[in-house]
Amino acid sequence: FRMTTLVVVRKNGTAVIAGDSLTTFGGTRLTPDYDRAWEKIVKHGDTYFGLAGSAAHQLVMESLLKRTPGLSFDGRLAIFESFRKIHPVLKDEHYLNPKEEEDDPYESSQLMALIANRTGIFAVYSMREVFEHQKFWAIGTGRDYALGAMYTSFDQNLSAEEIATIGIRAGCEFDTSSQMPMTLHSVKLD
């Protein structure tokens, strides 16, 4: 499983996404020294995705994004429609197990993602819920540390990149499943 700290920040006309570099499998740690593909952020056009959960998600998304035409991530509704199109492909071609809880109202895509692009910063959850964030957000096992650190620093005279870095550093400092170095990407907002 890819336990992680992933953050998005929106400030002063810039959207930023950042992530740590550690992958864990139970008690085993796969650091960047042993993993040639340690970056947790996937680029598709001018959109960046950070994926939390199973390590398989990243390779599946890289494949899906290359092979699925007509996907758009320009805004909340477009992201929802694209994830709705992706869901049957996850099941039919990638053998996704869509079952979580018995009383869930919808099948799960088992994906949790952060998105940053020229239209904003977004979080996508397993039942294709899409949230557009005004300031910042975090997912993964280090999210609580990252959220607290970004909350205390957001109103200071800091850039979106600096705030994202603070969030990732806090996650890596206190979450046993997150570790530096980090990856960070910035996009100018429309």
Side-chain angles (χ1 to χ4, degrees), residues 175-190:
D175 175 46
T176 59
S177 297
S178 300
Q179 177 179 308
M180 296 295 270
M182 62 178 266
T183 304
L184 183 141
H185 298 279
S186 298
V187 178
K188 288 294 174 201
L189 292 164
D190 286 347

Side-chain angles (χ1 to χ4, degrees), residues 39-58:
E39 292 190 30
K40 296 179 181 178
I41 298 172
V42 175
K43 185 174 193 269
H44 176 71
D46 67 348
T47 297
Y48 293 93
F49 298 84
L51 302 162
S54 172
H57 292 335
Q58 184 157 343

